Each structure stands twice: as C-alpha cells, then as structure tokens.
Amino acid sequence: MLRTQVVIIGAGPSGLLLSQLLHLQGIDSVVLEQRSRDYVAARIRAGLLEQHSVDLLVEAGAGERLQRECLVHDGFLMAWEGEVHRIDLHALAGKRVTVYGQTEIQQDLAEVRARSGGDIRYEATDVRLHDITTARPRVSCTHRDQAVEIECDFIAGCDGYHGVSRRSIPAEVLRTYERVYPFGWLGVLAEVPPLNDELVYANHSRGFALCSMRSRTRSRYYLQCPLEDTVEQWSDQRFWDELRQRLPAAHAARMTTGPSIEKSIAPLRSFVAEPMRYGQLFLAGDAAHIVPPTGAKGLNLATADVRVLHRGLTEFYRNRGRTLLDEYSQRALSRVWKATRFSWWFTTLMHKFGEDPFALQMQRAELTYIASSRAGAQTVAENYAGLDFDPDVVAAIR
Ligand code: FAD
Ligand code: DHB
C-alpha cells in the first residue's frame, strides 16, 4: 500500500492548485484524475478571475505567464432595450478583474506541478474512498491496469459536480440545495478580436447574450438557448446572426465574425452541499457547489475554498492545530452562499424567463435602478469584482 499525507481527487484547477500550495509547505499529496491529461487541458470553461484568485495563483508559483498575458479590466457593460450602462469596478469597488482562460491556468498549474515532481495520476478509474471517518482513510483506484491503494491523513474531494467524493458522504449527513434554470448557454470560441474592450452582458427580448474574450485576438461569446438545443442546430452563421440581434446596435456593428474553434451548450444550475467536511474528507470547488456562469463565480469560489483548506492543512502539519480544519466548512460556506446569491440574482436579472409582464417590469426597474443609483451600481460592482473575505477568515488564514 502507498502512503501520502493528502490524497486529492480531481486534477481540475482546485486539485492542482491545492496540491501545488501544499507542496510549497512541504506537504505531500497524490492527485487522482479520471480523465487524460490532454482531455483536462483542452476543456474550455472560465475566463474571468477575481484578484484573490490571481494572488493565489501567483503565491503557488503559477502566475508568471498569467501576469504577462492577462487582460485587466476596470469595468464591464450592461445592456438592455437600447440602454448601455457601464459598471466601473474600480471607481465603485476599488477592484479590477482579470481575463485569463481556465485552459491556460490548467496548463500553467500542470507545468509547475510537473516541474516540482508532483504525483498526478491521470486516467485513474474506479476511484473509491474508504474509512473516511477514521484517522487512516484510504483511497483505492485502478491506474494503468493496476489496483492501487493509498493510505493518507486527509482526502480532498476536488472532483467537480459529478465526482465520487460528495457521494461518499452519507445521505443523512449531507444537505443539498438546488435551483435548475430553464435554459442553457451556447458558447462559441473564435479567433476574432473582441467587439468591445470590456465584457458586455445583454438582456434582450430574444434572450441573454454575453461578449467575453480570452485575449485581444480571441473572443468568447455566449447566447441563452433552449435546453433541448444541440450544437448541430447552431451553425456559425446562425450563431453570429442571433448574437448580432441581441446586442446594442453600436456593438453589433463592430462585431467581427469567423469560424468557431469550439461550440458547446452548458446547462445552468445553482447547487450547494453542506457540510463541506465529513471526517477526514474535505470538499472543494465544484464538488461542493455549482453556480450558474453569469458573473463568473465558479472558478473564483474554487480558489477561495482552496485558500482556506490549504491554510488549514498547513496549520495541522505545522503544530497539529485543528481549528482551521474544524472551521473549514463554515468559513468556506459563508462565501459560497454570498456568491450563490449573486449568481442567481444576476442570472435572474439578465435572462429571459418567459413572457410574464410583471417579471419583465421587475427586470426593467432593477436595471434602471442600477443605472441611476450609485448605491445600486456599487452593490453589483463589489459582488462582481469579488467580496472581501470575512475579517475572521482573513485573520485565520493569514
Ligand atoms: P472541475 O474543473 O470540474 O475539476 C474536477 C476534476 O475532477 C475534473 O478534471 C474531473 O475529470 C475530475 N473527476 C471527476 N470525477 C472524478 C472521479 N470519480 N475520480 C477522479 N477524478 C474525477 N467560473 C469562473 O470563475 N469564471 C468564469 O468565467 C466561468 N465561466 C464558466 C463558463 C462555463 C461554460 C462553465 C461550464 C463553467 C464556468 N465557470 C466559470 C465555472 C468553472 O469552470 C468551475 O467552477 C471550475 O472548473 C471548478 O473547478 P474544480 O477544479 O472545482 O472542478
Ligand atoms: C465568462 C463567463 C462568464 O460567465 C462571465 O460572467 C464572464 C466571462 C467567460 O467564459 O469568459
């Protein structure tokens, strides 16, 4: 039987970042990932980072290319019914956000982990957790046709929404909260310059649209679409035509079109599982919570969990202190619920839910309120740019 200090399940951003931060504290880990390295590296997902996520990637030694290639944004645009309003993040919240693709983060973390001799086992199948509530938990799997069993002190469940870790917590212990939205996001990545320097979120009677980017030459655009739609129904031409109709005229006129590099449809869901700890198992990132993508909180919540968890594990290995680990779930969830609220609110504000005239008037009233009130805009700005950590969390994890 192998032995390590922490077994990390999942080599997404949460798992790799945790493993690297632990390594820098002299703590050993083994990462078990069910997919291949190429598959994980190619997934196109998040694009927008809060400052605390950037800071943690830099602390992990994975921030060099990020700092060279990222785009820093001081604000973003909200558009509806011919109106365009800019949320000035810097003036309203004193913060900025950073555009840098999750695909790049994944690559940077994998490289820094490989350089520091990280033990990451891709294509590990049939991962199972054992004896979670004892001081000697184990994880078994099949890797390269061999049965593998690893004994450890702690297990970090960083295996996303569909992973095995959360399902290893008994149903009577776990409380879950869920909201499924009645539409999806059709995303297109294209090698064309973004139509605006900053992101544009558009509420339109045909449905929501988002103009994001990955660089000055690569755009990431999204359209609200029916859940039943398939990408085959969306030719590039149809996508560009629909996007043009949902944007303010001046922005639509500046749009450069081109062949899509990637096209996918994602469902939207809010989901929170409590507690995020069971015995020696700690959940982090999408394994414990999912937010709809509006407002870009998913990856940022994952890094926030990892920040608290790695400090807790560090405290344990330094002086056998357990306070931070014991408080992990409560501290992480305090931020999770606030981001869940913001993502749900922003999704509700910007999407088309139907023809209910009352709901449409509520959206209009809220949008005009935000455009006319500094207090209204400031609430949007501070949530979008990322809330400060609660003061007691800051004190605890310093
Ligand atoms: P994941 O990235 O899901 O990684 C989990 C890993 O565990 C995967 O590699 C998986 O293969 C592996 N795994 C699963 N099951 C097992 C198992 N049984 N055994 C071993 N390994 C397993 N967030 C933002 O902050 N900003 C954005 O702009 C943003 N945009 C998004 C756009 C889209 C279209 C989508 C879909 C998501 C977006 N997100 C965004 C969310 C963000 O991508 C996720 O929150 C983030 O990937 C979470 O990281 P994670 O490491 O916790 O989970
Ligand atoms: C992106 C996704 C989002 O959900 C968002 O609010 C901003 C940017 C993106 O993928 O670029």
Side-chain angles (χ1 to χ4, degrees):
M1 174 147 30
L2 298 171
R3 157 123 201 107
T4 189
Q5 290 171 303
V6 184
V7 171
I8 298 173
I9 306 176
S14 309
L16 289 186
L17 182 58
L18 179 63
S19 135
Q20 176 63 11
L21 288 165
L22 292 178
H23 164 74
L24 294 177
Q25 298 295 333
I27 302 165
D28 285 336
S29 65
V30 174
V31 181
L32 301 176
E33 164 62 50
Q34 70 177 2
R35 305 285 192 170
S36 68
R37 183 172 170 169
D38 287 349
Y39 180 94
V40 173
R43 277 190 308 222
I44 294 170
R45 286 155 120 195
L48 200 72
L49 298 175
E50 297 173 12
Q51 188 59 43
H52 78 81
S53 298
V54 173
D55 294 344
L56 200 61
L57 287 161
V58 171
E59 187 180 323
E64 197 235 328
R65 190 163 67 99
L66 184 161
Q67 287 176 308
R68 224 179 329 116
E69 295 182 7
C70 74
L71 301 174
V72 177
H73 286 187
D74 279 353
F76 69 92
L77 302 184
M78 293 172 73
W80 71 98
E81 295 174 2
E83 305 285 329
V84 180
H85 182 76
R86 178 167 186 265
I87 300 289
D88 188 331
L89 297 170
H90 194 242
L92 291 164
K95 290 182 183 169
R96 302 182 161 93
V97 290
T98 297
V99 171
Y100 190 70
Q102 183 169 328
T103 319
E104 313 307 317
I105 293 173
Q106 190 77 46
Q107 192 181 323
D108 296 348
L109 283 168
E111 270 169 27
V112 84
R113 217 48 219 103
R115 274 204 303 276
S116 51
D119 187 346
I120 301 168
R121 302 183 186 205
Y122 291 95
E123 299 179 70
T125 55
D126 197 21
V127 172
R128 290 179 202 215
L129 292 69
H130 311 274
D131 304 333
I132 306 173
T133 52
T134 73
R136 283 276 163 274
R138 289 171 298 119
V139 179
S140 63
C141 68
T142 304
H143 186 240
R144 298 196 179 133
D145 296 327
Q146 301 269 333
V148 176
E149 196 163 322
I150 312 174
E151 192 186 69
C152 56
D153 302 323
F154 300 100
I155 302 171
C158 299
D159 47 351
Y161 180 68
H162 299 286
V164 65
S165 301
R166 189 181 66 252
R167 282 185 276 123
S168 307
I169 302 177
E172 62 273 18
V173 175
L174 205 66
R175 286 183 305 280
T176 59
Y177 304 82
E178 190 167 32
R179 172 72 43 104
V180 176
Y181 301 85
F183 40 72
W185 272 24
L186 168 65
V188 157
L189 188 69
E191 202 62 35
V192 293
L195 60 79
N196 192 57
D197 287 347
E198 295 179 339
L199 271 58
V200 184
Y201 292 80
N203 171 315
H204 192 274
S205 57
R206 297 179 67 88
F208 170 76
L210 168 60
C211 305
S212 182
M213 64 191 76
R214 290 293 175 269
S215 70
R216 289 204 171 78
T217 56
R218 187 171 279 202
S219 298
R220 179 68 166 157
Y221 294 136
Y222 297 99
L223 290 177
Q224 175 183 349
C225 69
L227 266 176
E228 315 74 58
D229 277 15
T230 60
V231 286
E232 290 73 33
Q233 291 170 291
W234 285 89
S235 64
D236 288 356
Q237 188 61 48
R238 181 178 171 207
F239 182 88
W240 295 120
D241 289 346
E242 185 63 32
L243 180 59
R244 195 176 283 113
Q245 292 192 67
R246 296 188 190 184
L247 296 177
H251 291 89
R254 291 208 298 267
M255 189 165 86
T256 310
T257 64
S260 62
I261 307 171
E262 191 259 5
K263 200 183 277 159
S264 55
I265 293 179
L268 272 68
R269 180 192 301 272
S270 299
F271 174 86
V272 181
E274 292 185 343
M276 287 170 61
R277 176 205 183 157
Y278 178 67
Q280 303 296 86
L281 167 66
F282 293 81
L283 302 179
D286 281 16
H289 40 74
I290 295 279
V291 289
T294 335
K297 291 290 161 225
L299 177 57
N300 292 298
L301 274 183
T303 61
D305 291 349
V306 168
R307 177 183 291 267
V308 180
L309 182 54
H310 108 269
R311 297 281 203 275
L313 291 167
T314 301
E315 180 196 51
F316 176 83
Y317 284 109
R318 242 183 232 156
N319 55 26
R320 299 283 137 179
R322 286 184 173 269
T323 314
L324 264 179
L325 288 179
D326 288 344
E327 293 173 357
Y328 168 72
S329 181
Q330 171 207 334
R331 290 184 190 284
L333 281 165
S334 152
R335 190 177 184 83
V336 166
W337 276 117
K338 290 184 190 109
T340 301
R341 184 208 69 83
F342 176 69
S343 309
W344 158 81
W345 171 82
F346 203 25
T347 301
T348 308
L349 178 67
M350 299 307 288
H351 289 74
K352 184 178 171 69
F353 280 78
E355 301 297 340
D356 175 10
F358 182 81
L360 291 170
Q361 290 296 353
M362 290 302 97
Q363 285 189 340
R364 183 177 291 156
E366 186 127 28
L367 287 162
T368 51
Y369 167 64
I370 290 164
S372 61
S373 156
R374 186 179 167 93
Q378 194 162 21
T379 302
V380 181
E382 74 169 355
N383 280 281
Y384 185 92
L387 294 173
D388 291 335
F389 283 83
D390 290 345
D392 64 324
V393 175
V394 176
I397 65 180
R398 186 168 291 135

